[in-house]
């Protein structure tokens, strides 16, 4: 069980680092005062469908959601693991 706790703690720390990287990217986009950062995907959601209309994706919104979700999940993981260890 000791190795399991170490692996869970490592995973939580890596998730926290990835969340901080996403948050730093989000802040740099926000600092550059970019209102919209959109990308057009040719195939849409279905890759093998050639007749699918192009889809516009807002990357700024996706970065912000990913940053906040990863940070919150990693903090909860670290709190839960610290409760298990003690």
């Amino acid at each position: 069980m000791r190795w399991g706790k170490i692996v869970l703690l490592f995973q939580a720390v890596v998730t926290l680092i990835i969340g901080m990287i996403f948050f730093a990217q989000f802040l740099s986009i926000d600092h550059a005062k970019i209102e919209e950062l959109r990308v057009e995907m040719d195939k849409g959601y279905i890759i093998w469908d050639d007749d699918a209309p192009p889809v516009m994706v807002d990357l700024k919104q996706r970065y912000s959601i990913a940053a906040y979700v990863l940070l919150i999940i990693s903090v909860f993981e670290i709190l839960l693991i610290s409760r298990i260890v003690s």
Side-chain angles (χ1 to χ4, degrees):
M1 188 65 182
R2 183 172 173 240
W3 280 103
K5 292 176 186 175
I6 292 172
V7 169
L8 287 175
L9 185 62
F10 175 76
Q11 183 232 338
V13 170
V14 169
T15 305
L16 181 65
I17 291 170
I18 293 172
M20 289 182 348
I21 290 170
F22 270 100
F23 193 69
Q25 289 295 317
F26 171 67
L27 288 179
S28 68
I29 290 171
D30 199 36
H31 181 68
K33 297 187 189 263
I34 297 173
E35 295 299 323
E36 287 184 312
L37 184 60
R38 293 189 177 264
V39 174
E40 182 177 346
M41 296 173 58
D42 290 336
K43 297 292 184 180
Y45 295 111
I46 303 172
I47 296 172
W48 57 86
D49 189 12
D50 291 332
D51 297 332
V55 177
M56 296 297 286
V57 178
D58 187 13
L59 289 179
K60 185 176 178 182
Q61 180 185 14
R62 285 193 178 192
Y63 263 81
S64 65
I65 291 171
Y68 290 124
V69 167
L70 285 172
L71 288 174
I72 290 171
I73 287 175
S74 64
V75 168
F76 280 141
E77 285 178 346
I78 291 173
L79 288 174
L80 289 173
I81 292 167
S82 67
R83 296 282 297 189
I84 291 172
V85 172
S86 60

